[in-house]
Amino acid sequence: RRHALPAKGRHQDGRGGREDSDQPGQLCGRPEAGRGRGSYETDKDFLRDRDYMVEAFTPLIETCKKFDRAMRIGTNHGSLSARILSFYGDSPRGMVESAIEFADMCRALDYHNFVFSMKASNPVVMIQGYRLLAAEMYRLGWGS
């Protein structure tokens, strides 16, 4: 018997990002504390809002684990969060850092049933993103 997951882009309580979204970052929304800050100048500033993302993303991870569902961690070059853009800029590195951040949250909860999807309208940027992602996964020991 199959169990229904929450509708794409929505939290179980109805909060959430765009209704048609299946990108985990859009499920988390944006913390109000991060708005108006403008930029993140230090690692400490950047990591401060990550706690909010972990809290918001954890129920989705737990639900996927419970019902043995796969998750796509999608990073779109044209839709990077303001948080990522302010720290890494509009770059393939920003795409990779966003993807790795969500994958790290999954792995911390012993959930490994996810795939990456990198999108960019410029094929060169997309290929650079995938190459950087592969290198980062190798560096982290995630390749096996």
Side-chain angles (χ1 to χ4, degrees):
R1 182 172 150 206
R2 298 185 64 88
H3 299 278
L5 291 173
K8 288 171 35 173
R10 308 298 290 177
H11 287 281
Q12 288 178 338
D13 64 1
R15 298 178 297 119
R18 293 188 350 229
E19 184 120 10
D20 63 341
S21 172
D22 60 356
Q23 296 184 13
Q26 291 179 352
L27 291 173
C28 294
R30 304 292 188 270
E32 293 301 320
R35 292 190 182 180
R37 183 175 13 257
S39 67
Y40 297 84
E41 309 221 350
T42 67
D43 288 344
K44 184 178 178 182
D45 290 340
F46 184 75
L47 292 173
R48 182 177 26 238
D49 285 343
R50 189 174 192 269
D51 293 339
Y52 170 85
M53 292 169 52
V54 170
E55 181 182 323
F57 191 46
T58 295
L60 175 64
I61 297 168
E62 295 295 346
T63 301
C64 288
K65 274 179 64 172
K66 180 179 178 182
F67 296 117
D68 193 27
R69 298 292 191 265
M71 179 187 306
R72 179 182 72 88
I73 297 176
T75 305
N76 186 334
H77 182 247
S79 300
L80 295 173
S81 71
R83 179 173 166 269
I84 291 290
L85 286 172
S86 71
F87 204 69
Y88 294 101
D90 184 15
S91 67
R93 172 57 64 190
M95 295 172 65
V96 170
E97 293 300 329
S98 179
I100 291 292
E101 186 168 54
F102 283 101
D104 187 52
M105 290 180 222
C106 291
R107 292 174 60 92
L109 294 170
D110 197 32
Y111 175 73
H112 307 276
N113 193 9
F114 57 85
V115 297
F116 292 109
S117 174
M118 310 282 271
K119 277 192 338 186
S121 58
N122 181 336
V124 173
V125 171
M126 185 180 66
I127 291 168
Q128 287 175 338
Y130 272 116
R131 287 178 176 167
L132 284 171
L133 178 64
E136 185 65 8
M137 290 174 63
Y138 181 79
R139 185 187 74 76
L140 293 168
W142 292 4
S144 53

